[in-house]
């Protein structure tokens, strides 16, 4: 038996960009969702991460843990070398209690009368990916095969909808009567489009529908905040102003 009609706003991978988050939240509010879900990687970024955190806290969203949320409570010298500078800077920007809270969020959440499973990467790990695989050697992304997806859902079957983020690219798959959605990122999209992304998921008459939405924001203001803040990784400015396109291919 299916539940009543439902509107769910889903955001993922804000990565500390308050300017993008603010624009997404305005668009979300216009859609009057019944529930908001945050798929993680909330603050690991440099475009005003404290304000980005406060905006997300104000949503009272159902939250799951991202891979970059997991490392927030670690001392900088325990981070991988490429994360240490930003990690040390974030310890100065964000309260320890909030960093610990994000690092301890659950890996997954069940919602919508038990029909939807939400996680960051896969239900088992925020470091893995459910629908999209990125090959760092070729800098290309491809859709995973149905066998690859089934293997990652081996212990998590039975849901009508699976929501994930992590790969910074929107994509939707239907396998049988199951809807699988990679929610696009609020920050650092990998499809060449600088606009922030989020997902409106609706159950209408017992049928689930996914609408990927894009929102423009003040990219220059975000870049300027990074320049003026003393943030250590200036490469993030390019990710915001001129995002790459990793060219998603079928398997």
């Amino acid at each position: 038996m299916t539940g009543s009609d439902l509107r769910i706003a889903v955001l993922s991978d804000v990565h500390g960009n308050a300017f993008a988050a603010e624009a997404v939240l305005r668009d979300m509010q216009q859609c009057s969702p019944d529930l908001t879900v945050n798929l993680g990687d909330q603050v690991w970024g440099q475009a005003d991460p404290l304000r980005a955190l406060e905006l997300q806290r104000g949503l009272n969203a159902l939250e799951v843990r991202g891979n970059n949320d997991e490392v927030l409570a670690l001392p900088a010298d325990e981070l991988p070398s490429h994360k240490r500078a930003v990690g040390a800077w974030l310890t100065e920007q964000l309260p320890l209690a909030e960093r610990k809270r994000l690092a301890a969020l659950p890996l997954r959440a069940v919602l919508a009368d038990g029909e939807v499973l939400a996680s960051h990467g896969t239900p088992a790990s925020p470091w893995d990916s459910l629908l999209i695989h990125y090959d760092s050697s070729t800098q290309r992304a491809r859709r995973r095969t149905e066998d690859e997806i089934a293997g990652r859902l081996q212990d998590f079957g039975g849901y009508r909808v699976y929501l994930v983020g992590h790969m910074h690219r929107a994509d939707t798959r239907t396998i049988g009567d199951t809807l699988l959605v990679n929610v696009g990122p609020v920050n650092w999209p990998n499809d060449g489009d600088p606009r922030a992304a989020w997902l409106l998921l609706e159950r209408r008459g017992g049928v689930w529908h996914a609408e990927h939405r894009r929102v423009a924001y003040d990219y220059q203001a975000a870049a300027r905040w990074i320049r003026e803040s003393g943030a250590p990784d200036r490469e993030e400015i390019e990710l915001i102003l001129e995002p790459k396109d990793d060219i998603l291919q079928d398997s």
Side-chain angles (χ1 to χ4, degrees):
M1 182 176 180
T2 57
S4 58
D5 290 358
L6 189 64
R7 295 166 66 85
I8 304 172
V10 190
L11 72 163
S12 187
D13 297 282
V14 172
H15 280 287
N17 188 333
F19 302 86
E22 192 170 42
V24 163
L25 268 55
R26 282 196 299 267
D27 194 44
M28 285 169 47
Q29 289 166 358
Q30 293 178 2
C31 294
S32 302
D34 301 299
L35 174 68
T36 302
V37 180
N38 191 328
L39 299 183
D41 276 10
Q42 294 192 28
V43 296
W44 190 278
Q46 302 175 124
D48 203 349
L50 179 58
R51 188 163 70 91
L53 172 65
E54 293 168 346
L55 287 167
Q56 291 172 91
R57 286 301 302 268
L59 288 171
N60 295 315
L62 183 65
E63 299 173 313
V64 297
R65 183 169 82 239
N67 59 305
N68 285 295
D69 299 326
E70 283 196 345
V71 301
L72 285 169
L74 294 177
D77 59 2
E78 294 184 18
L79 294 171
S81 59
H82 67 283
K83 288 182 175 288
R84 288 176 186 169
V86 173
W89 182 79
L90 285 172
T91 63
E92 300 173 355
Q93 304 295 313
L94 304 170
L96 176 60
E98 282 299 310
R99 288 185 281 119
K100 287 184 174 180
R101 182 187 69 84
L102 292 171
L105 287 172
L107 282 177
R108 52 193 173 269
V110 179
L111 56 140
D113 310 308
E115 295 188 3
V116 178
L117 183 63
S119 57
H120 181 72
T122 72
S125 171
W127 299 87
D128 196 5
S129 60
L130 182 63
L131 301 181
I132 298 171
H133 171 73
Y134 179 73
D135 187 334
S136 58
S137 64
T138 63
Q139 297 188 344
R140 292 291 183 267
R142 66 167 176 83
R143 292 180 174 89
R144 290 199 182 277
T145 66
E146 291 190 14
D147 285 345
E148 288 178 302
I149 294 169
R152 285 164 172 76
L153 296 180
Q154 184 174 359
D155 298 321
F156 304 97
Y159 298 93
R160 296 186 62 198
V161 181
Y162 293 85
L163 300 172
V164 294
H166 186 48
M167 296 308 293
H168 288 242
R169 180 183 275 274
D171 197 31
T172 300
R173 301 275 296 274
T174 301
I175 301 177
D177 58 358
T178 303
L179 180 65
L180 305 103
V181 187
N182 214 119
V183 177
V186 174
N187 195 19
W188 308 343
N190 286 343
D191 62 359
D193 184 341
R195 294 177 299 168
W198 68 279
L199 179 82
L200 179 61
L201 179 69
E202 294 187 85
R203 183 174 60 195
R204 300 192 301 266
V207 179
W208 286 100
H209 306 269
E211 178 188 351
H212 292 283
R213 296 177 66 94
R214 300 300 286 260
V215 185
Y217 67 96
D218 193 339
Y219 318 110
Q220 293 294 340
R224 185 164 56 250
W225 200 98
I226 295 171
R227 291 191 193 99
E228 296 174 355
S229 68
D233 185 1
R234 296 306 177 89
E235 291 182 5
E236 184 171 341
I237 293 172
E238 183 177 352
L239 292 176
I240 290 171
L241 297 180
E242 298 181 13
K244 65 177 182 176
D245 185 351
D246 55 21
I247 307 177
L248 183 61
Q249 300 172 331
D250 289 320
S251 297

